[in-house]
Amino acid sequence: MKHFVIIFILIFSVSNLMARDNWEEIDTDFEDRKEGEFPTLSTIDIDGDGDLDIFIGNWDGYLAFYRNMANKKGEFEYEMEYSGTSIKSSFQEVSTFNAAVPFWIDIDSDGDYDLFLGNLKGTLTFYENTGTPSQPKLKLKNKGYSKQDSYSGIDVGYNSVPVFVDIDGDNDYDLFMGERDGYINYYENKGDPHNAVFRPIDFADSMNHSFNGIDVGECSFPFLIDIDHDNDNDLFIGNWEGYLFFYRNDGTQFDMFFKEINYAVSPQTSFNKYRSEGDCRFSISRYVKNYFDFVFCKINGDITWYRTNDEFNQMFKKQPRVDVTLKMANYYYEMAKEKYLDGEFIESRLILEKAKKYKEIKKMDLLEENLNKEIKTRVNNIIVGIKDDFNKGNFVEALDNLQKGKFMRASVLFDQIKKNYGSFKYLEKYRSLAQKYEKDRKKIIMAEKYDDNAIDFFKKGDYKKALSDWERASKLIPEDYTIVENIIMCKAKMDEIETKAIINKLLHQARDYLKKGEKDKAFKIYSRLMELGPVPEKVQKDINSLKGDIMEYKQKEYKEKINRLYKNGLEYFEKGEYEKAIEHFKKVVFYNSDHKEAWQKLKEAEKKFLEKEKLE
């Protein structure tokens, strides 16, 4: 039988990832602890006692430090040693410009953790740990107040979010940076484990230059971890709207290949079904072996904690690359072995021949050798009992035809023996076997016809007819895994075409809106296109052709949003509602840290708010 099989990594089937049977919110007391607005949580064993301690960066640029006092891994018992509310009480007086995003990593391979802080300016603040693994001592090396004093001269514009990981398996840490525009900046470490030298590979000044062509809207917040236990790092990205995006690494630990797993790829798999209440800042930790903790930090300071369970791990168990011929050979070999152990030697031989047609496996040789001995002994025992030499010869010939797959000829010879000589035990058994396999042979011939037709339809692009014929073939021989693979492959192709049709329809709608000057509607459609994930190259070119117009609208929308927030802030300020005014001015400078008027008004509002509280 001819087969037209594309071998690929099966997409795992995952149910709604926020469902209670996949992960659950756990009680950590952190939902009641407030460390300021725009918190970002980082976990690390800073004191070398074998458990994870917690650091929380906040809007003011400082760190809160919670030491883990639990005796058992996975339990939560934290004591706050330093609050992040002022420079005098923060951890080792660590601070950055503001909107601190901490990330700990041993960047110089000296056995202790160094600290990097992302910030509103888009630069990197760096503190080298000159202490020990159990007694850290942080020394400020790069303030990060400007590009000139930023670590490695890195500046991504606004809202820098650093993530260090060895993405290429060369034993040093590479750098991924999130930013305000929703892109991902990738810096490869061209140095060594002791001396990092970062070179920008994908410096994201546009979607075309963003790592993997990623654009998640506003404020990308990346995190990398091996979620599917296949020894390479997968990518998660939160954004300002509160969505969580997932890019699975289908490459290796040495050669990355990221595939977005979203609603268009698999409706059941989409992490972006989850939405927090704005600004999805998160981290992923391993408090308990084989389980992941997803920690979500919201703008208002709330922190929620989820832990995965066994069902989650089972869903994310990566499927191995399938060798269909080997799978089928093993399938039939096991059947042949079972028949051999039951003493059904002739049928064992017939099934073994099926296995060999798919792939020769070394262990088949021993089974075949044993079968030859057993069949020879059995045939000799049977023909001794047949007194007629003519029928002895017919019986030997019939068995020979049966083993060679000439089932019709074997059936005819067995019928002649029965007519001339009469029935006996093994005659009826092998006669029935020949008739059964002849019937199966006809089914296989019909299945081959359907399979061949399906291949022709598939090559012509008529996937509906191809699927119909492969399903007919599968009904005739349901155990044939190659046909099952063809059905999966054909359905995936049909889904791809359906997605293309949706994309093309959206593109036409976007173009119509642009012709009418309705760029706001065009922008919304463009956002939907991005949610559909990877698209064909031609369609991607069409999308890119819209980028200029869309980005022009996006910048206009930014300005309008900033002006609106600033105006509302001023109105609240005039009314004496200083707390609301502070909230609005903070959002203005979060979008544009160079907005001097907003900074000035923010300081005035904070001062007025404190004065008002004292009076009350």
Side-chain angles (χ1 to χ4, degrees), residues 558-573:
Y558 269 136
K559 290 178 182 178
E560 289 175 353
K561 185 180 288 188
I562 290 169
N563 290 337
R564 186 168 60 252
L565 287 168
Y566 184 65
K567 182 181 177 182
N568 291 341
L570 289 175
E571 289 176 358
Y572 284 121
F573 187 88

Side-chain angles (χ1 to χ4, degrees), residues 258-325:
F258 286 97
K259 178 182 179 65
E260 185 177 7
I261 305 299
N262 59 19
Y263 192 85
V265 177
S266 174
Q268 294 78 29
T269 296
S270 178
F271 263 100
N272 52 22
K273 284 182 177 182
Y274 170 75
R275 186 177 182 181
S276 68
E277 297 171 7
D279 194 21
C280 188
R281 294 168 167 246
F282 70 102
S283 64
I284 307 174
S285 303
R286 299 291 291 275
Y287 271 76
V288 182
K289 186 179 180 182
N290 297 328
Y291 300 97
F292 296 94
D293 285 14
F294 283 73
V295 186
F296 294 92
C297 303
K298 300 173 185 177
I299 293 174
N300 62 2
D302 289 344
I303 296 174
T304 51
W305 206 294
Y306 297 89
R307 178 165 293 167
T308 64
N309 56 22
D310 293 332
E311 287 79 6
F312 182 96
N313 292 335
Q314 188 61 35
M315 289 186 303
F316 273 90
K317 186 177 180 182
K318 187 158 182 167
Q319 300 297 324
R321 188 176 293 271
V322 178
D323 183 341
V324 177
T325 56

